[in-house]
Amino acid sequence: MRIHVVSDVHGRADALKSAGDGADALICLGDLILFVDYSDHGQGIFADLFGQENADRFIALRLEKRFDEARAFSRGLWASLEGEAWPHIERAVDRQYAELFAAMPAPAYLTYGNVDVPRMWAPHLREGHRVLDGETTEIGGLRFGFVGGGLRTEYRTPYELDDDAYAAKVEAVGEVDVLCCHIPPAVPELLYDTVARRFERGSEAILDAIHRTQPRYVLFGHVHQPLAARTRIGRTECVNVGHFRARGVPYVLTV
């Protein structure tokens, strides 16, 4: 059985349309929407609302880890819009989800990324789309577990969880053949982004599950330009499936 896996789609509806070509199923590990594009500051919801110059400034502050200044700058921009900020964000997110789920192949097994808004997925799901989070399913005779979202960070993205809540989802999944997550296990070389020049947050709970249960594979995304795209822990192959927005091609898993 051939399974295609994508993560960090970030608005690439054009490439998503063909991501399932030649596969028996597609797995999507989240981060569908594009809020801020660190490679092209003119793309994304923030730039659409406030222009590239303001996006340049906002991104520069965040890259310099001046998070309080970035939040203050952002608050000033949101205050310049009519009404509250969230309705503007929600409309933009909803437009992106409509386009992305229309392009999403089927059958597809999906979980959320840290940048996703879970409650906004349901209206856009089509027949053959199945969302799993802290749950398992059988694909091609193997047991797959899915754990969505990310852990708390200074970036305050929409679907960040406390460590205990995240660990509870990993525990609920239990022993599987393939563990599918948005974020990596807490292994330094899997967490360091060589372009952003920072460590992203990984999960100690996933790492513990690997040591205890030794799944065949752990598949994840989140780190766009990792120092190491894969590593082996015991018998477990840990694989970053790639930054789909940049690459436009899926990772291929044959089971």
Side-chain angles (χ1 to χ4, degrees), residues 20-222:
D21 289 358
D24 297 291
L26 178 76
I27 289 175
C28 179
L29 303 180
D31 272 12
L32 294 179
I33 63 171
L34 181 65
F35 188 75
V36 174
D37 190 335
Y38 284 80
S39 298
D40 182 351
H41 300 178
Q43 300 295 314
I45 292 170
F46 195 92
D48 288 346
L49 289 171
F50 303 119
Q52 182 171 338
E53 185 175 341
N54 285 319
D56 291 341
R57 174 64 175 161
F58 179 66
I59 290 168
L61 289 170
R62 292 181 67 158
L63 290 175
E64 293 165 11
K65 302 188 186 304
R66 295 157 63 185
F67 297 110
D68 289 340
E69 291 179 62
R71 281 191 282 271
F73 178 67
S74 176
R75 281 195 299 270
L77 293 174
W78 291 113
S80 71
L81 299 177
E82 183 178 347
E84 296 294 323
W86 179 248
H88 294 277
I89 299 172
E90 190 172 60
R91 285 192 293 271
V93 169
D94 195 62
R95 286 193 297 270
Q96 286 195 14
Y97 278 153
E99 182 181 10
L100 288 158
F101 280 104
M104 183 80 66
Y109 301 86
L110 306 97
T111 198
Y112 309 111
N114 63 294
V115 177
D116 286 310
V117 185
R119 68 174 181 80
M120 295 183 67
W121 278 27
H124 300 292
L125 296 173
R126 297 187 294 110
E127 185 176 355
H129 293 168
R130 184 176 177 188
V131 180
L132 301 108
D133 188 12
E135 301 165 278
T136 63
T137 192
E138 184 175 304
I139 308 173
L142 297 181
R143 188 172 179 83
F144 282 68
F146 292 80
V147 180
L151 296 170
R152 301 286 182 198
T153 70
E154 292 179 298
Y155 295 100
R156 301 183 184 181
T157 50
Y159 193 41
E160 293 183 352
L161 303 166
D162 292 334
D163 286 44
D164 289 349
Y166 191 91
K169 292 197 297 182
V170 177
E171 182 67 23
V173 164
E175 189 169 341
V176 294
D177 297 298
V178 183
L179 181 56
C180 300
C181 320
H182 178 68
I183 64 172
V187 176
E189 60 266 33
L190 299 177
L191 301 180
Y192 188 73
D193 189 307
T194 60
V195 174
R197 292 185 293 181
R198 66 168 183 260
F199 285 96
E200 301 289 353
R201 280 208 69 188
S203 170
E204 293 286 352
I206 294 171
L207 183 58
D208 181 60
I210 293 170
H211 287 301
R212 286 187 294 105
T213 67
Q214 288 283 283
R216 294 189 192 183
Y217 296 96
V218 175
L219 307 178
F220 51 88
H222 188 56

